[in-house]
Amino acid sequence: MKILLLDKNHPLITEQLLAKNFILEEDFTSSYDEVCHKIHHYDGVIIRSRIPLDKNFLEKGKNLKFIARVGAGMENIDIPVAEKLEIQLINSPEGNRDSVAEHVVGMLLILMHRLFIASQEVKNGIWLREENRGDELLGKTVGLIGYGNMGKATAKRLSGFGCKVIFHDILLGLSDEYGTQVSLKELQEQAEVLSLHIPLTDQSYYLVDGPFISDMKNDFYFVNTARGKNIETKSLVEALKAGKIKGACLDVLEYEKSSFENLEIGENEDLQYLLESEKVLVTPHIAGWTHQSKEKLAQVIVDKILRL
């Protein structure tokens, strides 16, 4: 099979596939139009997020048998068209679930115990103890929306902190030793921490908006390591200002480019508030971005390609 690699990934992908006699071509710089012009030459394509695989792209890939995304989200692929054309879709959420889970816990601890703020103050000669009194995870009810690879890995970590973990998912029968499945209404009535672990779809776009936040019974901490557009930023900022959301841990932002490589917006009051507020931690879409996950993501993709 002849495979086109459109993004840089761990070298084990090329090493292992070449050893199995696949023909590989790397192209990390060509534009969307340039790739469309030649995609019909390939049986498969391995991607991250650089180029959208829309209807036009897929129809030009007349010989495509599979698309492999090194990562979890598949929103840059027109899935209905790919399925209609009988192109197999592969992703690798197993590869960075542990990285994401650790990132969630790390951000919560930093936010709730004011670790970053206190450290910066001491480095600037400010010694405040009462003002930096923390809030414990122990005994908190954590609500997860989405209980796939990321959600389950997060529940496993949080259960070790003495949290009660509940979750809502569109699939049923997912309760396990780490988390209990509940309705969305029950989650909103009980959760003191809310963490998103869902893909970006028409149904999950702005899932967390003003009315959703108002339906949360408790003031709560919010974590998003999923997709920026799963929450309406305007409503998030309003809830932070009002105290309904006690603090937010954001690894993703509504204003990211589709490639996730930067922000695509300039001056914006809501974004500025998030960047300046002591109630908010922001990281640059790196929850699944560890040295270990880079290798694990690649290995999962290779293993799935070899099973085709």
Side-chain angles (χ1 to χ4, degrees):
M1 298 180 78
K2 189 175 182 181
I3 302 175
L4 178 63
L5 292 81
L6 288 175
D7 297 274
K8 291 182 180 179
N9 286 294
H10 196 283
L12 74 78
I13 292 180
T14 55
E15 292 167 3
Q16 294 187 20
L17 292 180
L18 286 173
K20 295 292 184 179
N21 298 316
F22 285 82
I23 302 170
L24 306 181
E25 180 182 324
E26 296 179 342
D27 185 347
F28 306 145
T29 59
S30 289
S31 67
Y32 168 86
D33 290 333
E34 289 169 333
V35 176
C36 282
H37 184 70
K38 66 178 182 179
I39 192 61
H40 63 280
H41 293 301
Y42 302 93
D43 301 294
V45 59
I46 299 176
I47 65 167
R48 282 211 320 260
S49 306
R50 185 171 70 87
I51 289 179
L53 277 58
D54 56 12
K55 182 174 186 288
N56 174 62
F57 183 103
L58 297 174
E59 288 179 344
K60 290 183 181 299
K62 300 184 183 299
N63 295 306
L64 282 179
K65 297 176 178 62
F66 75 86
I67 296 166
R69 166 124 208 285
V70 184
M74 305 284 272
E75 68 270 15
N76 61 327
I77 303 169
D78 191 325
I79 294 175
V81 171
E83 291 175 344
K84 181 180 178 181
L85 296 173
E86 298 184 342
I87 301 171
Q88 294 197 60
L89 302 179
I90 301 168
N91 64 342
S92 53
E94 306 92 332
N96 61 355
R97 60 189 173 195
D98 297 314
S99 174
V100 169
E102 289 190 9
H103 198 93
V104 170
V105 174
M107 290 189 88
L108 278 171
L109 292 174
I110 290 169
L111 180 74
M112 294 171 66
H113 288 267
R114 298 177 60 85
L115 300 180
F116 180 77
I117 295 169
S119 176
Q120 290 300 109
E121 286 178 350
V122 173
K123 289 181 179 181
N124 288 311
I126 302 169
W127 188 272
L128 298 174
R129 298 184 67 219
E130 185 58 38
E131 293 84 349
N132 284 311
R133 191 179 288 275
D135 191 8
E136 296 179 9
L137 267 173
L138 177 67
K140 294 280 194 300
T141 297
V142 179
L144 310 178
I145 299 184
Y147 207 64
N149 282 280
M150 313 302 177
K152 290 178 183 178
T154 301
K156 182 177 181 180
R157 269 60 172 195
L158 289 170
S159 65
F161 279 84
C163 296
K164 174 186 176 182
V165 181
I166 58 176
F167 67 88
H168 176 72
D169 196 285
I170 58 174
L171 300 178
L172 301 178
L174 299 180
S175 292
D176 59 20
E177 61 186 304
Y178 304 116
T180 301
Q181 189 159 12
V182 297
S183 69
L184 188 58
K185 182 179 180 182
E186 289 176 293
L187 184 145
Q188 290 176 306
E189 289 175 350
Q190 298 180 40
E192 299 165 278
V193 178
L194 176 65
S195 185
L196 303 186
H197 301 277
I198 50 178
L200 182 62
T201 65
D202 291 341
Q203 290 71 40
S204 68
Y205 183 91
Y206 281 0
L207 173 68
V208 179
D209 56 9
F212 183 104
I213 294 169
S214 295
D215 287 341
M216 294 288 288
K217 180 180 178 181
N218 301 308
D219 295 345
F220 65 100
Y221 295 99
F222 176 73
V223 188
N224 191 7
T225 55
R227 290 292 184 262
K229 292 178 181 177
N230 289 141
I231 182 167
E232 184 181 40
T233 306
K234 183 175 183 291
S235 296
L236 168 64
V237 170
E238 289 174 354
L240 283 164
K241 289 178 178 178
K244 180 65 178 179
I245 294 181
K246 298 162 74 172
C249 305
L250 307 174
D251 182 56
V252 290
L253 292 167
E254 180 179 349
Y255 313 111
E256 289 177 75
K257 291 183 177 180
S258 60
S259 65
F260 309 135
E261 291 302 318
N262 214 322
L263 299 178
E264 61 179 359
I265 191 167
E267 290 297 318
N268 178 285
E269 288 185 9
D270 292 331
L271 175 60
Q272 204 60 37
Y273 176 84
L274 295 177
L275 298 179
E276 294 176 356
S277 174
E278 286 192 349
K279 292 182 177 182
V280 182
L281 280 180
V282 184
T283 52
H285 204 132
I286 56 169
W289 211 252
T290 61
H291 297 293
Q292 293 81 4
S293 70
K294 183 176 183 180
E295 181 172 352
K296 286 189 281 187
L297 285 165
Q299 190 63 64
V300 169
I301 284 296
V302 169
D303 292 345
K304 288 184 178 182
I305 290 174
L306 294 179
R307 287 199 296 267
L308 289 175

